[in-house]
Amino acid sequence: MKVPVSLSDGFGDAFEQALASTCVEAKLISAADDLRNRRFLNRSVVPHVQRLTELFNRLTSEDASEGLEKYWKKGSNPENLRLAYFLSFMPGNLYRVASVWSELARLGFKWPQTQPALRAVEFGAGPATASSGVLAGEKHAPLGLPQQGNFALIEQDRQTLQLGERWFSKQAAFLGLPLYETRPFHRKLEPAKGWLPRQAPKFNLWLMSYVLNEFEIPPKEIARTLLEAWDRHLEDDGLVILVEPALRLQSRKMLEVRKEILALDAARADGAPPRMQLLLPCLGHQACGARADAEDWCHEEVSWWRPPYLRGVDELTGLDRKTLPFSYQVWIKSQKPRDQWLPELKHQGSLHRLVSPAFKVGPDWEFYWCGEEGKRRLRTRSDGVELERGSILVDAAFRGDKQASRIDGFKRSL
Ligand SMILES: C[S@@+](CC[C@H](N)C(=O)[O-])C[C@H]1O[C@@H](n2cnc3c(N)ncnc32)[C@H](O)[C@@H]1O
């Protein structure tokens, strides 16, 4: 995914200071320097990062048996556990969400005029990660968010929610953005009973980051409950951003959810026309190219300059968060033509997105792309063209079969 340089560079010393002062105010550390103190990190943070990593890997395997709720309550030092999540996992997820925001901006998306006040909601917000990601995205790749508005944060762990509120305000001040209000909701979500109470208001920005995979309900049920919630609680022209792990099982689950949402939306009991449109990453509502093969899945990747302390944490834990993989979907409650939302995609012909890295092979680039006809492997001349996972080719003329096709030319790449 192409991310603006200012965003990938935006997590240096100033970001670290904002993060450290949030931790000091929340009494999670005694001084900002703790973040660079290897002895402190080794003793108080690293063991929890390792346990959380183990837990997330278990959650993303077939035998997921225990969610974060139990984990937040377990362990001898819940403060250090929250600190470990905040320092080690939150910034990467924040950056993933900000990158998705920047992809919308890159393709020309503008915040809808029909929505003059921002009303965002984040589910399973943890420390307000996705909401803070929206702020970072808006700073470096603005969509033109209204100056007024609020973010409702729904989270089952009270202390994490409080940390999230604190962090969100700190981040807004650090980025010089409007101080949007936060509305904390300490609540245990039960999607089968509805993602929101029936009397809850409507929102125009719906955020879920690394949370859908925590619910052990089948994709069809996730799709049904989401669609019901969007019918009732998402404004027309409201935007939905879903970010999930890149691992095969979870990523495929997202692809199933996509399929089910499209099918349910197209076959409404009252015969009404579909309401939801998938804007990203797919360039259409066609059958998913990755789903066609039971072993395949679909994910993106972004690189960044990690916050300096995170490099230290990575060294101590053996993790490597230089490159961040993830799966994502952006939906909008609108049937206006896609070109009106993503004007950069206005074109006369076909669109294909690279869904693998592009490798140099002799004079060529080689990669997989996905489009209306599904997924296929291709080569094209590399001279003068920079391609990477996430690039979009407009009007490519190609020949060959799914395993080996050749692009003879294309109008432009995005
Ligand atoms: C992996 S964390 C992700 C946190 C945050 N969205 C992020 O991207 O960093 C999952 C979060 O969802 C919350 N969560 C899981 N199940 C929940 C439920 N049933 N109700 C409310 N929150 C829940 C957990 O407490 C945790 O904070």
Side-chain angles (χ1 to χ4, degrees), residues 68 72 85 93 124-126 129 155-156 187 189 209-210 214-215:
L68 207 47
W72 285 133
Y85 187 87
N93 287 2
T129 309
E155 167 57 47
Q156 66 185 355
R187 184 174 295 169
L189 293 160
S209 159
Y210 279 67
E214 303 230 335
F215 295 95

Side-chain angles (χ1 to χ4, degrees), residues 72-73 82 155-162 186:
W72 285 133
K73 297 202 166 107
R82 289 189 188 93
E155 167 57 47
Q156 66 185 355
D157 184 69
R158 191 186 294 281
Q159 281 77 15
T160 304
L161 189 55
Q162 286 165 352
H186 176 223

Side-chain angles (χ1 to χ4, degrees), residues 129-144:
T129 309
S131 302
S132 304
V134 166
L135 296 184
E138 184 64 11
K139 171 73 183 179
H140 298 285
L143 304 185

Side-chain angles (χ1 to χ4, degrees), residues 56 59 67-69 72 85 89-91 93-94 97 122-130 154-157 160 187-191 208-211 213-215 243:
F56 295 139
L59 280 174
L68 207 47
E69 183 199 12
W72 285 133
Y85 187 87
F89 296 92
M90 181 281 291
N93 287 2
L94 182 164
V97 172
E122 177 172 1
F123 295 82
T129 309
I154 306 177
E155 167 57 47
Q156 66 185 355
D157 184 69
T160 304
R187 184 174 295 169
K188 184 167 170 59
L189 293 160
E190 290 180 80
M208 290 174 148
S209 159
Y210 279 67
V211 70
N213 71 89
E214 303 230 335
F215 295 95
V243 175

Side-chain angles (χ1 to χ4, degrees), residues 230-249:
W230 295 340
D231 279 353
R232 201 175 173 84
H233 300 291
L234 187 65
E235 298 279 8
D236 288 338
D237 296 344
L239 198 63
V240 175
I241 297 181
L242 310 176
V243 175
E244 287 290 312
L247 297 171
R248 188 178 74 91
L249 189 76

Side-chain angles (χ1 to χ4, degrees), residues 14-73:
F15 174 87
E16 181 169 321
Q17 273 162 25
L19 196 83
S21 76
T22 305
C23 294
V24 171
E25 286 166 22
K27 301 198 172 26
L28 292 174
I29 56 178
S30 46
D33 290 353
D34 286 352
L35 298 197
R36 302 274 183 106
N37 179 335
R38 289 172 84 86
R39 207 162 147 258
F40 171 78
L41 291 175
N42 236 336
R43 205 183 46 224
S44 306
V45 175
V46 167
H48 292 291
V49 172
Q50 284 162 340
R51 286 175 68 187
L52 284 168
T53 305
E54 231 174 73
L55 172 76
F56 295 139
N57 287 340
R58 221 176 324 135
L59 280 174
T60 50
S61 74
E62 316 264 350
D63 67 341
S65 55
E66 167 177 68
L68 207 47
E69 183 199 12
K70 288 191 204 153
Y71 193 83
W72 285 133
K73 297 202 166 107

Side-chain angles (χ1 to χ4, degrees), residues 260-271:
E260 298 294 348
I261 290 174
L262 290 175
L264 288 170
D265 196 27
R268 290 175 172 273
D270 58 2

